[in-house]
Amino acid sequence: MAFPYILHLILAGFMGIHCEITVSKLSVTASGSITIPCLYNESYRNNVKYLCKGYYFNTCKTVVRTDEPTRRSGRFSVYDNRNQNIFAVSINDLTDKDKHYWCAMEIKYAKDVSQHFELSVTTGLPSLYVDQQEITVFEGGSVTVGCHYKYPTAPKWCRLGSTCVADESGSMEITPETINTHNPVLNVTMSAIKPEHSGWYLCAQDDLQMPVHITVKELTSTRITTSNNTAGKILTT
């Protein structure tokens, strides 16, 4: 069949390279919310991005677009980070009808480029989840992420569009990492973190992924001189 080959070409065009770590299936909680990052090729930086709902892309319904004034529509919102070539879509108040979606981009004079992802909505604990999807940390500090999972095989820790590590023997070569597993949680601690480490990461287990966004804030120093000309204090914020 030609369909798998065509799908490969679509994904390759969407991501810019093959075999990148991306989001394709998530386990989520009913009534909760989820944010999904979508990679794209740098050549599509100025294209309109949108989220489309439906099993087939050619019949799916557009629910939110980046060219809308607020980039928000009902339960849906979208944000395009052109510096990282990633746009993120958020869905609130999840129900069992939230299943098949497409991250997509408008292409002039050609078929739009798309990438499918699937949601598995549960009333109990998801099969793979984290306590926080959005984490902020100051430069030079550390951050710990716990990947909670249900099945015997421990998840991997990945950088979106890049590599994965599964245990203490691996490294993404971007920052010192400590990884340990206390079933049913994979704990990842990233130390000596820098602003360039900001971005999207994934807990990945079999065909499931759970994205985590880490924001690293730069430290700024302000010297305050006392009125009697004594040595000032350095405040870090």
Side-chain angles (χ1 to χ4, degrees):
M1 295 179 64
F3 179 72
Y5 176 71
I6 295 172
L7 179 61
H8 171 78
L9 290 180
I10 292 173
L11 292 178
F14 190 92
M15 295 180 289
I17 60 176
H18 65 288
C19 297
E20 293 217 348
I21 304 301
T22 58
V23 179
S24 60
K25 187 175 182 180
L26 305 96
S27 179
V28 294
T29 305
S31 301
S33 61
I34 190 70
T35 300
I36 299 97
C38 307
L39 279 169
Y40 59 85
N41 189 291
E42 185 176 357
S43 61
Y44 298 134
R45 180 174 294 178
N46 296 320
N47 291 62
V48 172
K49 286 84 176 179
Y50 62 95
L51 178 65
C52 204
K53 181 179 181 180
Y55 187 83
Y56 296 106
F57 180 62
N58 61 350
T59 58
C60 68
K61 178 183 178 182
T62 300
V63 292
V64 69
R65 299 165 53 94
T66 56
D67 60 350
E68 293 174 346
T70 62
R71 297 180 179 85
R72 185 178 298 273
S73 176
R75 299 186 300 126
F76 307 97
S77 62
V78 59
Y79 171 75
D80 188 10
N81 187 332
R82 296 182 180 182
N83 293 326
Q84 295 185 355
N85 299 329
I86 296 172
F87 72 96
V89 294
S90 296
I91 308 171
N92 299 318
D93 300 323
L94 292 161
T95 74
D96 56 4
K97 295 182 180 180
D98 291 307
K99 191 169 181 65
H100 294 284
Y101 286 92
W102 300 82
C103 295
M105 292 178 297
E106 284 191 345
I107 309 296
K108 288 185 177 180
Y109 313 116
K111 185 176 181 180
D112 289 357
V113 176
S114 62
Q115 178 185 349
H116 175 263
F117 66 87
E118 179 182 349
L119 301 180
S120 176
V121 182
T122 176
T123 55
L125 288 175
S127 299
L128 179 67
Y129 69 95
V130 293
D131 296 321
Q132 291 179 279
Q133 236 203 318
E134 296 277 348
I135 300 173
T136 301
V137 61
F138 283 105
E139 178 182 7
S142 64
V143 61
T144 298
V145 178
C147 303
H148 301 258
Y149 61 98
K150 281 189 175 180
Y151 302 111
T153 305
K156 297 178 181 178
W157 177 246
C158 313
R159 184 150 198 183
L160 182 69
S162 185
T163 56
C164 297
V165 291
D167 52 41
E168 295 88 342
S169 61
S171 175
M172 286 189 232
E173 298 181 353
I174 58 171
T175 180
E177 297 147 3
T178 302
I179 298 178
N180 58 75
T181 304
H182 297 287
N183 193 9
V185 183
L186 176 79
N187 291 305
V188 182
T189 299
M190 299 171 60
S191 306
I193 202 161
K194 299 178 181 179
E196 56 263 34
H197 301 147
S198 293
W200 283 98
Y201 296 81
L202 302 174
C203 299
Q205 181 194 41
D206 298 328
D207 64 339
L208 289 175
Q209 305 86 34
M210 176 51 62
V212 178
H213 188 264
I214 297 176
T215 301
V216 183
K217 290 189 174 182
E218 293 187 28
L219 289 174
T220 58
S221 298
T222 304
R223 180 173 296 273
I224 300 177
T225 305
T226 60
S227 58
N228 59 359
N229 295 322
T230 58
K233 295 180 179 180
I234 300 295
L235 301 180
T236 55
T237 58

